[in-house]
């Protein structure tokens, strides 16, 4: 049965609490109602797709008695709220007039730790760090632990840790007031000279250094909060160190090439509650799986605990205080593999109540209540949280990330497969607009990375395009991760070459299927996707009628070496060891870099083109866009340029997102929209 939703009650509580005085939190204006969903048949406002999330990050306390969540009334700052589950009473425990609550987690049953961001500023306008704060679930015992700027002139700031101190996502035993933090010493953006690891008491503010191997960059703790594994770079290799206890010496567990890996390569995943180490490894297979690692024999078990025939498995532990309950990982969508029979039965029960979505169940680490948090998502529904009571079998709506979105108005998204011209199998996500889907205008949307992947969930960009009548094809071209080692390595050194062919072959597959109108296809993407957009217009001018590039790389040498006007925050380690393997050697592959440089080939682009870049982008600095625009407009009068002041590598501000996608909408309407088929 479904119980009465608590979302409205939560926002009513926010209104009542908005003016509550607090020594550490500024007063906030009253909360307002969420935007009204679009009426059936009406064009859905762009703002509904690209607003900031209003309800996110829900986490149960270790004892399962409380729920903490970020909440943001429309147009207002993000607050941290705690819901007492037995009484369903909500309390805002952190809100600021000049910042938004960002990451947070439970320290123990009673205490939370969180840092801040500023959703009203883009990257180039930020002047403060994330800070770090702690507060009890009842709003008491508030303490600032880390300063937000470099100034430490007042007495309170001197007692805090410096601004370059960040929360480490290690849960520990959740029975003390301690958390782990790191202090990176930056030599320049993206380059870390040193990295200190500290154990910080959130009540006293006292910290102490944690002993670790020199140069360590990654850590793994056991469930008692003891550091057991550390990883450090050694030239082009990555060394994994291990110790049996806090008093034991460190020993080398493994050494692998950081990018090539190797036959016996693995990456530590987690320590189970009983102390068993689990690792991710291919172990002679094309697909990565989760295995138990025998620390006495220094070997991986032969049989995986979690594996997929079609996808790499990168598993997250779902545990209780004394045992491993299950695993969660991505296949085509998020998958939960319960090892506990009770949780298997509860999952089946919830799935029966929410049959159209992927439902991820979470319990408190030491839960003493019947409450289970359910995170639901589908291709047509943004993330929505529910509370399930296993005693009463009742399911209550807590809140949605985008409450103005109606699933009934969204388009379905499916995973399809086609063959590339050399026979390689290419997965691709196909989003079909409602109504007639034959011979529709199509946008080939290329993901960035490029070493990432998409998944079956609600996506604002593809859903927005589908709502305007466009078919959306998102190829998982070679080099995309998650589909096995062969698929990944087939993309090495193939920027602008076979990776590009895979994308074009997907468009031609959609034409052959009768899905796409061959005269109305546009290619679009950000970052690497922007690079692929430009190379698509160059390599396949007969296929793509137009292109949309935002934040796109325009020259590989420019990405590697920068220019007087901008230097990428790509790390020196990646430049030296990663780029030669994955993208190409700047000397040996110089001719290839030139042939696959959009900047060098700009005169070949004659199609309409929309370019958008951020002035504060540190990953793909502005000269990528500006130099390319200066080059392409010499021979192409159909180029639209927009530069967003202070935006970085991604649109941080809702106003920027709305403005950009309004431009996209008008651009597509002019070039492949209704009435353009015969042009």
């Amino acid at each position: 049965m479904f119980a009465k939703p608590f979302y409205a009650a939560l926002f009513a509580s926010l209104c009542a609490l908005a003016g509550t005085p607090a020594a550490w939190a500024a007063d906030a204006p009253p909360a307002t109602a969420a935007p009204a969903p679009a009426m059936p048949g009406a064009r859905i406002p762009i703002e509904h797709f690209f607003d900031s999330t209003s309800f996110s990050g829900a986490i149960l306390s270790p004892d399962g008695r409380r729920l903490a969540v970020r909440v943001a009334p429309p147009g207002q700052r993000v607050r941290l709220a705690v819901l007492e589950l037995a009484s369903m009473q909500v309390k805002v425990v952190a809100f600021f007039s000049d910042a938004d609550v960002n990451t947070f987690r439970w320290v123990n049953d009673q205490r939370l730790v969180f840092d801040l961001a500023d959703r009203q500023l883009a990257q180039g306008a930020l002047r403060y760090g994330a800070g770090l704060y702690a507060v009890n679930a009842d709003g008491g015992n508030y303490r600032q632990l880390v300063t937000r700027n470099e100034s430490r002139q007042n007495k309170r700031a001197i007692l805090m840790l410096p601004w370059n101190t960040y929360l480490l996502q290690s849960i520990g035993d959740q029975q003390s007031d301690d958390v782990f933090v790191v202090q990176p010493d930056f030599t320049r953006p993206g380059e870390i000279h040193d990295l200190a690891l500290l154990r910080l008491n959130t009540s006293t503010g006292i910290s102490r250094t944690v002993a670790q191997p020199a140069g360590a960059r990654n850590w793994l703790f056991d469930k008692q909060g003891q550091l057991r594994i550390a990883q450090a770079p050694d030239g082009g290799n990555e060394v994994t160190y291990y110790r049996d206890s806090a008093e034991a010496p460190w020993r080398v567990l493994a050494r692998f090439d950081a990018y090539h890996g190797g036959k016996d390569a693995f990456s530590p995943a987690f320590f189970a509650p009983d102390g068993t180490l689990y690792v991710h490894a291919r172990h002679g297979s094309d697909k990565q799986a989760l295995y138990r690692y025998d620390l006495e024999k220094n070997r991986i078990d032969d049989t995986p605990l979690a594996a997929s025939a079609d996808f790499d498995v990168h598993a997250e532990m779902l545990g209780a205080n004394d045992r491993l309950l299950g695993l969660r990982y991505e296949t085509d969508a998020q998958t939960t593999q319960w090892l506990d029979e009770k949780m298997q039965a509860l999952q089946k029960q919830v799935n029966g109540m929410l049959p159209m979505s992927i439902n991820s169940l979470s319990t408190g680490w030491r839960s003493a209540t019947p409450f289970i948090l359910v995170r639901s998502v589908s291709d047509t529904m943004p993330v929505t949280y529910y509370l399930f009571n296993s005693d009463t079998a009742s399911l209550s709506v807590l809140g949605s990330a985008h409450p103005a979105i109606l699933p009934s108005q969204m388009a379905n998204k499916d995973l399809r497969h086609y063959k590339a011209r050399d026979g390689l199998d290419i997965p691709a996500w196909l989003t079909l607009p409602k109504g007639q889907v034959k011979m529709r205008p199509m946008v080939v949307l290329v993901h960035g990375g490029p070493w990432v992947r998409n998944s079956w969930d609600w996506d604002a960009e593809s859903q927005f395009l589908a709502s305007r009548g466009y078919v959306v094809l998102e190829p998982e071209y070679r080099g995309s991760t998650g589909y096995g080692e062969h698929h990944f390595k087939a993309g090495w050194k193939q920027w602008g070459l076979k990776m590009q062919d895979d994308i074009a072959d997907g468009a031609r597959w959609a034409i052959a299927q009768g899905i796409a109108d061959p005269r109305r296809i546009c290619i679009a993407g950000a970052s690497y996707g922007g690079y692929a957009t430009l190379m698509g217009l160059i390599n396949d001018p007969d296929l793509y009628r137009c292109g949309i590039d935002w934040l796109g790389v325009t020259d590989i040498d420019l990405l590697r070496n920068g220019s007087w006007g901008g230097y990428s925050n790509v790390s020196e380690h990646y430049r030296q060891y990663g780029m030669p393997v994955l993208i190409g050697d700047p000397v040996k592959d110089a001719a290839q870099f030139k042939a696959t440089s959009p900047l060098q080939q700009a005169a070949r682009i004659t199609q309409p083109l929309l370019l958008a870049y951020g002035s504060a982008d540190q990953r793909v600095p502005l000269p990528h866009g500006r130099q390319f625009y200066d080059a392409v407009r010499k021979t192409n009068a159909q180029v639209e340029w927009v530069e967003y002041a202070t935006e970085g590598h991604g649109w941080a501000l809702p106003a920027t997102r709305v403005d950009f996608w309004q431009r996209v909408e008008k651009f597509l309407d002019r070039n492949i929209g209704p009435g353009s088929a015969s042009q």
Side-chain angles (χ1 to χ4, degrees):
M1 59 174 288
F2 281 85
K4 181 181 178 181
F6 293 99
Y7 192 56
L10 174 60
F11 274 88
S13 298
L14 290 176
C15 291
L17 290 168
T20 301
W24 53 272
D27 291 348
T32 56
M39 296 298 293
R43 176 164 278 201
I44 304 168
I46 295 179
E47 292 82 359
H48 290 186
F49 294 94
F50 299 107
D51 61 349
S52 296
T53 54
S54 61
F55 191 99
S56 62
I59 309 174
L60 284 171
S61 62
D63 61 7
R65 299 183 187 280
R66 301 173 183 86
L67 180 89
V69 64
R70 288 186 300 260
V71 290
Q76 298 184 31
R77 293 291 189 178
V78 180
R79 305 101 182 270
L80 180 61
V82 174
L83 182 67
E84 292 283 345
L85 299 180
S87 64
M88 285 299 165
Q89 295 298 307
V90 65
K91 183 178 183 64
V92 174
V93 298
F95 63 99
F96 296 77
S97 63
D98 64 343
D100 302 282
V101 173
N102 190 30
T103 59
F104 72 92
R105 76 160 186 267
W106 290 97
V107 180
N108 51 46
D109 294 338
Q110 301 289 336
R111 195 152 177 78
L112 291 146
V113 64
F114 63 94
D115 61 18
L116 302 177
D118 193 336
R119 287 190 179 186
Q120 296 181 11
L121 294 177
Q123 181 177 330
L126 294 177
R127 296 292 179 268
Y128 299 100
L132 194 65
Y133 306 78
V135 67
N136 285 352
D138 61 3
N141 196 17
Y142 162 81
R143 187 181 188 99
Q144 184 174 356
L145 303 163
V146 172
T147 64
R148 295 190 66 198
N149 56 45
E150 296 183 28
S151 174
R152 304 181 70 189
Q153 297 176 354
N154 62 69
K155 184 176 180 181
R156 285 190 63 195
I158 291 173
L159 298 176
M160 301 175 198
L161 292 172
W163 70 272
N164 61 323
T165 305
Y166 303 95
L167 182 65
L168 187 66
Q169 295 302 308
S170 174
I171 295 175
D173 62 359
Q174 295 186 317
Q175 297 190 66
S176 72
D177 287 342
D178 293 354
V179 295
F180 293 98
V181 296
V182 292
Q183 284 182 346
D185 178 15
F186 297 103
T187 56
R188 64 172 181 82
E191 203 66 54
I192 297 175
H193 172 68
D194 194 18
L195 195 59
L197 177 65
L198 307 174
R199 188 176 187 124
L200 170 64
N201 186 287
T202 62
S203 290
T204 66
I206 296 173
S207 63
R208 62 182 187 273
T209 301
V210 178
Q212 59 174 326
R217 295 289 186 269
N218 298 299
W219 307 269
L220 193 63
F221 298 79
D222 62 20
K223 289 301 112 183
Q224 287 70 48
Q226 297 296 323
L227 178 61
R228 301 284 298 282
I229 284 180
Q231 292 179 295
D234 180 18
N237 294 321
E238 186 170 69
V239 183
T240 300
Y241 298 91
Y242 168 78
R243 62 178 179 182
D244 292 295
S245 67
E247 294 76 28
W250 291 99
R251 63 181 173 92
V252 174
L253 194 64
R255 182 190 299 268
F256 305 115
D257 186 285
Y259 297 96
H260 281 285
K263 179 177 178 292
D264 299 317
F266 66 85
S267 60
F270 56 81
F271 283 98
D274 64 359
T276 301
L277 173 64
Y278 289 91
V279 301
H280 295 119
R282 302 199 183 277
H283 203 40
S285 172
D286 178 62
K287 304 298 189 294
Q288 178 181 268
L290 182 75
Y291 294 86
R292 173 185 172 273
Y293 190 91
D294 189 326
L295 288 164
E296 292 185 1
K297 298 179 180 179
N298 283 352
R299 64 181 300 274
I300 298 171
D301 282 359
D302 292 331
T303 304
L305 182 63
S308 168
D310 301 313
F311 301 91
D312 289 329
V313 166
H314 190 86
E316 167 196 354
M317 175 180 62
L318 302 174
N321 195 39
D322 57 349
R323 66 193 186 283
L324 180 63
L325 294 179
L327 305 162
R328 185 161 292 146
Y329 49 89
E330 290 280 332
T331 52
D332 54 342
Q334 192 169 83
T335 299
T336 302
Q337 177 182 329
W338 291 112
L339 308 175
D340 180 83
E341 291 185 0
K342 179 181 178 181
M343 292 306 301
Q344 289 177 9
L346 291 174
Q347 181 77 60
K348 184 177 180 180
Q349 191 173 8
V350 171
N351 287 348
M353 303 172 78
L354 300 170
M356 305 303 292
S357 56
I358 299 295
N359 308 304
S360 302
L361 277 59
S362 300
T363 65
W365 187 254
R366 298 182 302 276
S367 185
T369 72
F371 298 116
I372 294 172
L373 178 66
V374 181
R375 179 187 184 274
S376 295
V377 69
S378 75
D379 55 344
T380 61
M381 183 183 75
V383 172
T384 301
Y385 290 96
Y386 299 85
L387 188 67
F388 180 68
N389 186 319
S390 60
D391 284 349
T392 63
S394 60
L395 191 68
S396 308
V397 180
L398 291 172
S400 170
H402 300 279
I405 293 293
L406 294 178
S408 61
Q409 296 179 336
M410 297 293 103
N412 290 118
K413 174 180 178 180
D414 295 306
L415 185 62
R416 305 289 184 90
H417 292 260
Y418 60 86
K419 292 294 183 182
R421 63 193 68 180
D422 65 357
L424 185 68
D425 180 77
I426 307 296
W429 298 96
L430 184 67
T431 304
L432 297 174
K434 289 184 173 297
Q436 174 64 37
V437 296
K438 293 293 184 180
M439 295 288 287
R440 295 297 295 265
M442 183 173 76
V443 176
V444 180
L445 190 59
V446 187
H447 70 67
W451 328 113
V452 298
R453 56 160 290 185
N454 290 312
S455 186
W456 187 82
D457 55 14
W458 186 85
D459 176 76
E461 295 175 358
S462 58
Q463 288 293 341
F464 168 71
L465 292 170
S467 76
R468 270 47 180 174
Y470 299 102
V471 171
V472 183
L473 182 70
E474 300 174 85
E476 300 282 21
Y477 49 84
R478 69 190 69 204
S480 300
T481 55
Y483 297 93
E485 184 176 38
H486 178 68
H487 194 82
F488 171 50
K489 290 188 173 181
W492 289 10
K493 297 188 178 183
Q494 293 301 311
W495 282 43
L497 301 172
K498 290 185 178 180
M499 293 168 75
Q500 202 67 46
D501 292 343
D502 293 346
I503 298 165
D505 291 343
R508 293 191 171 98
W509 167 84
I511 293 170
Q513 296 293 310
I515 297 169
D517 182 341
R519 297 168 294 178
R520 294 193 291 171
I521 298 177
C522 190
I523 184 170
S527 195
Y528 172 83
Y531 168 88
T533 292
L534 301 178
M535 286 305 303
L537 298 176
I538 292 167
N539 288 1
D540 298 283
D542 61 322
L543 183 62
Y544 304 117
R545 180 161 181 172
C546 58
I548 304 166
D549 155 32
W550 66 106
L551 311 168
V553 174
T554 63
D555 184 84
I556 296 173
D557 282 330
L558 194 60
L559 179 67
R560 178 184 178 86
N561 302 320
S563 71
W564 68 267
Y567 191 69
S568 171
N569 64 2
V570 174
S571 72
E572 192 57 41
H573 188 276
Y574 185 72
R575 295 175 199 271
Q576 183 175 355
Y577 299 107
M579 290 185 73
V581 172
L582 301 175
I583 302 175
D585 185 276
V587 177
K588 297 178 181 178
D589 300 310
Q592 176 181 318
F593 283 7
K594 183 176 181 180
T596 57
S597 166
L599 183 59
Q600 298 290 328
Q601 312 293 323
R604 295 173 57 189
I605 296 179
T606 59
Q607 305 95 315
L609 177 61
L610 172 60
L611 299 170
Y613 284 79
S615 64
D617 193 340
Q618 294 184 339
R619 177 52 54 93
V620 180
L622 186 61
H624 278 266
R626 176 57 69 179
Q627 291 185 30
F628 179 80
Y629 175 57
D630 290 343
V632 73
R633 67 175 173 169
K634 293 177 182 178
T635 55
N636 189 343
Q638 303 180 87
V639 181
E640 180 182 343
W641 167 266
V642 57
E643 178 182 330
Y644 292 110
T646 73
E647 286 282 10
H649 200 61
W651 310 140
L653 301 178
T656 303
R657 296 194 292 269
V658 170
D659 179 81
F660 172 71
W661 287 99
Q662 283 176 336
R663 293 172 184 267
V664 169
E665 182 175 23
K666 293 176 182 177
F667 179 85
L668 291 174
D669 283 348
R670 286 196 307 269
N671 292 289
I672 63 170
S676 64
S678 60
Q679 297 177 14

